[in-house]
């Protein structure tokens, strides 16, 4: 065997062994791309530490992409609503800077609550979803519920013992988003289960609530129970950010345009 063939044959064997080692360490992307990375360095030689760095970098980047994909899927967040697709010019009552600050997620790190209030169509759900995405990108666990879905889950779990309840996603993720609070009043049972959730999460994790109702209307949402409403609001508002969105409905925008065109 000539020196040249020996030279091309042996790295092949070594490569398989190296790939196996990478796999044993759980570095599957590095293993998968090892050959391509090596070919690239053969074509364009780089310092050994740069080669190692780029192999590890690829692993980290791909893992991060996979983590975000999986977290988005399990969060239940609807797709397509991001901060970059939000038209801030359409809704001047929303300060872009404030939303961008919320997008850094320091409020989630500090277990604060975010309340998005406003009439239908002003972008509450869109912003809630976009901030949920940001939270996932920043490494937080997130779950998204419409209020009726959340209440159904809470009712299903009404008799679950506390130790198991703690492991429920609505209790143990960093951010729970509850969309559409206030459209339907809650029953007494629902209101008290909702109180249990808010109390449990208080100081432990964040809640993001969207609602079409003002604070004054909360007793009405909560089965007319003033005492319960006060207890819930007390916890929700203690460390909170409240955004009042005033403005036109984005849903009606096209209708308005059509009507303007006719007149
Ligand atoms: P709300 O929850 O306040 O009723 P949504 O967030 O569901 O309103 O908004 C209704 C629809 O309009 C959604 O499809 C949303 O993506 C879109 N939308 C609302 N506001 C904006 C905006 N400022 N820029 C882009 N899309 C918007
Ligand atoms: Mg909505």
């Amino acid at each position: 065997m000539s020196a040249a063939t020996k030279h091309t044959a042996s790295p092949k064997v070594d490569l398989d062994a190296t790939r196996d080692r990478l796999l044993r360490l759980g570095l599957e992307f590095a293993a998968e791309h090892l050959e391509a990375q090596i070919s690239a360095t053969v074509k364009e030689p780089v310092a050994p530490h740069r080669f190692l760095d780029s192999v590890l970098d690829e692993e980290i980047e791909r893992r991060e992409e996979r983590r975000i994909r999986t977290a988005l899927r399990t969060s239940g967040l609807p797709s397509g609503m991001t901060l970059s697709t939000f038209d801030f010019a359409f809704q001047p009552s929303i300060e872009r800077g404030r939303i961008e600050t919320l997008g850094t997620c320091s409020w989630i790190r500090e277990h604060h609550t975010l309340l998005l209030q406003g009439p239908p169509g002003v972008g509450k759900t869109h912003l809630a979803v976009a901030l949920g995405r940001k939270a996932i990108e920043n490494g937080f666990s997130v779950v998204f519920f419409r209020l009726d879905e959340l209440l159904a889950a809470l009712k299903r779990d009404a008799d679950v013992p506390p130790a198991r309840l703690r492991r429920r996603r609505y209790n143990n993720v960093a951010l729970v988003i509850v969309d559409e609070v206030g459209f339907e009043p809650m029953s007494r049972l629902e209101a008290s289960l909702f109180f249990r959730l808010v109390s449990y999460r208080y100081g432990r994790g964040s809640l993001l609530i969207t609602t079409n109702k003002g604070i004054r209307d909360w007793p009405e949402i909560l089965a007319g129970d003033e005492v319960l409403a006060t207890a819930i609001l007390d916890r929700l508002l203690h460390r909170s950010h409240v955004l009042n969105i005033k403005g036109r409905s984005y849903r009606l925008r096209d209708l308005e345009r059509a009507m303007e065109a006719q007149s």
Side-chain angles (χ1 to χ4, degrees):
M1 192 187 285
S2 75
T5 42
K6 196 172 169 196
H7 190 72
T8 47
S10 63
K12 179 83 194 122
V13 175
D14 289 347
L15 209 60
D16 286 343
T18 310
R19 206 182 282 118
D20 281 349
R21 290 202 173 91
L22 288 169
L23 285 173
R24 276 176 65 186
L25 289 167
L27 304 172
E28 58 182 89
F29 294 112
E32 192 183 322
H33 294 100
L34 186 64
E35 200 155 355
Q37 293 262 26
I38 289 178
S39 304
T41 49
V42 167
K43 276 192 209 118
E44 222 171 297
V46 291
H49 75 277
R50 287 222 181 285
F51 169 74
L52 182 61
D53 199 50
S54 97
V55 168
L56 295 177
D57 213 36
E58 170 118 17
E59 178 71 30
I60 291 171
E61 216 173 280
R62 297 300 180 91
R63 274 190 194 196
E64 187 59 5
E65 282 168 16
R66 184 174 58 187
R67 180 192 68 75
I68 291 174
R69 249 195 334 271
T70 309
L72 281 172
R73 202 173 50 239
T74 55
S75 68
L77 282 167
S79 58
M81 300 183 207
T82 63
L83 285 187
S84 58
T85 59
F86 194 80
D87 179 1
F88 285 91
F90 179 81
Q91 216 54 275
S93 76
I94 301 171
E95 252 181 82
R96 189 189 196 121
R98 198 158 173 214
I99 300 297
E100 278 167 357
T101 304
L102 290 166
T104 66
C105 303
S106 51
W107 63 285
I108 301 173
R109 222 162 275 123
E110 290 160 20
H111 306 155
H112 290 185
T113 298
L114 173 59
L115 212 56
L116 300 180
Q117 291 180 347
V122 292
K124 302 181 297 296
T125 300
H126 189 126
L127 287 174
V129 171
L131 289 171
R133 262 189 107 85
K134 275 275 169 200
I136 287 176
E137 286 165 11
N138 278 276
F140 295 99
S141 48
V142 176
V143 65
F144 176 95
F145 290 100
R146 265 197 342 260
L147 179 69
D148 58 335
E149 296 162 344
L150 174 68
L151 293 175
L154 295 179
K155 280 191 270 191
R156 260 197 316 274
D157 293 345
D159 298 322
V160 170
R164 265 179 58 207
L165 218 48
R166 265 181 246 129
R167 295 200 295 270
R168 289 291 193 260
R169 284 174 63 68
Y170 53 71
N171 279 329
N172 74 9
V173 298
L175 172 65
V176 174
I177 301 176
V178 189
D179 196 25
E180 300 193 346
V181 171
F183 280 102
E184 299 268 348
M186 296 181 212
S187 69
R188 278 203 165 264
L189 172 68
E190 290 168 343
S192 82
L193 289 170
F194 186 65
F195 171 68
R196 187 161 86 170
L197 175 76
V198 170
S199 303
Y200 183 82
R201 293 193 61 82
Y202 176 65
R204 284 194 178 95
S206 283
L207 272 167
L208 192 171
I209 291 176
T210 80
T211 177
N212 59 336
K213 294 282 198 303
I215 304 284
R216 243 180 279 126
D217 301 318
W218 276 63
E220 186 193 315
I221 305 173
L222 295 159
D225 191 328
E226 295 261 358
V227 177
L228 199 62
T230 309
I232 288 179
L233 285 173
D234 191 54
R235 285 160 181 79
L236 285 182
L237 299 178
H238 180 205
R239 298 192 197 90
S240 67
H241 308 261
V242 180
L243 252 79
N244 261 306
I245 310 173
K246 298 185 189 81
R248 292 186 296 143
S249 164
Y250 198 86
R251 289 196 195 95
L252 297 181
R253 184 186 64 154
D254 293 337
L255 189 66
E256 282 172 18
R257 280 184 179 166
M259 282 161 73
E260 271 163 28
Q262 272 180 9
S263 61

